[in-house]
Amino acid sequence: MCSIFLTNKPDFNVDAVNAFIRLRGPDHTETLTRDGLTFVHNLLSISGAFTVQPFQQDDVIALYNGEIYNYLSYGNYSSDGLCLIPLYREYGPLFPQVLDGEFAVVIVDLAARCVILSTDIFATKPLHVAFEGPYFAVASYESALRAAGFSVIQKVKPNCVCRIDLDNLSFLEIGTVYEFSAAQYRADVDGWIDAFERAVRKRVERCRERLFIGLSSGYDSGAISLALNK
């Protein structure tokens, strides 16, 4: 899972902020302070090389929670999150549109004086933002923002790319990750079965750990189990 926290607030209790979000990332906690910003990342590492965050390249810093399934399409990266800053540099703020994955991403561009936030199309990974006077914060959970002293909190919407201006703290939605089409053109379920099996495969093919699936009495978990066995 992993969890993230970012703020420009100078005084807060890191342990209190991290009390709950660190449970999402028990393998390593990293804290970085740079240019008046504090970054906290809690890592759960289950695929790729063990890679500590935040990622940094010159004036761009990234925090990330989730998994990018198509990262090898953009380079021979040892871990999926390493593709984020290069893709931001190549495609700009709307770079999440080229990602296939489940993610909450925070990109800080110190030179451009902005923060880019994005969630995947269904917001499977939580991301919240808060503003109070001259301060802002971004976190996986509301609890972290409240522990840092923020009270007015909003959840970043699914399928959304947003921008925070670091100079005036304006918060704007600047695009979507994916545009859906409701056009109906299939007369059978073969395409759905193929898409479902590919969806299961890309989520497990690079996993280092053994798999566990908790079965309910529903069709959904049975279908996942069937696809995994196949």
Side-chain angles (χ1 to χ4, degrees), residues 1 24 31 52 75 80 94 103 106 108-109 117-118 121 126 131 142 144 150 159-160 166-167 182 195 217 228:
M1 289 183 287
R24 294 179 61 91
T31 301
V52 173
D80 58 335
L94 294 179
F103 54 81
V106 179
V108 178
D109 189 331
L117 311 176
S118 184
I121 57 177
F131 298 90
E142 281 190 59
F150 293 89
N159 198 31
C160 186
L166 285 174
D167 292 323
S217 59
L228 286 170

Side-chain angles (χ1 to χ4, degrees), residues 26-29 43-52 78-79 208:
D27 294 332
H28 183 83
T29 297
L43 176 67
L44 174 66
S45 178
I46 61 173
S47 63
F50 189 96
T51 306
V52 173
S78 60
S79 184
R208 294 194 319 263

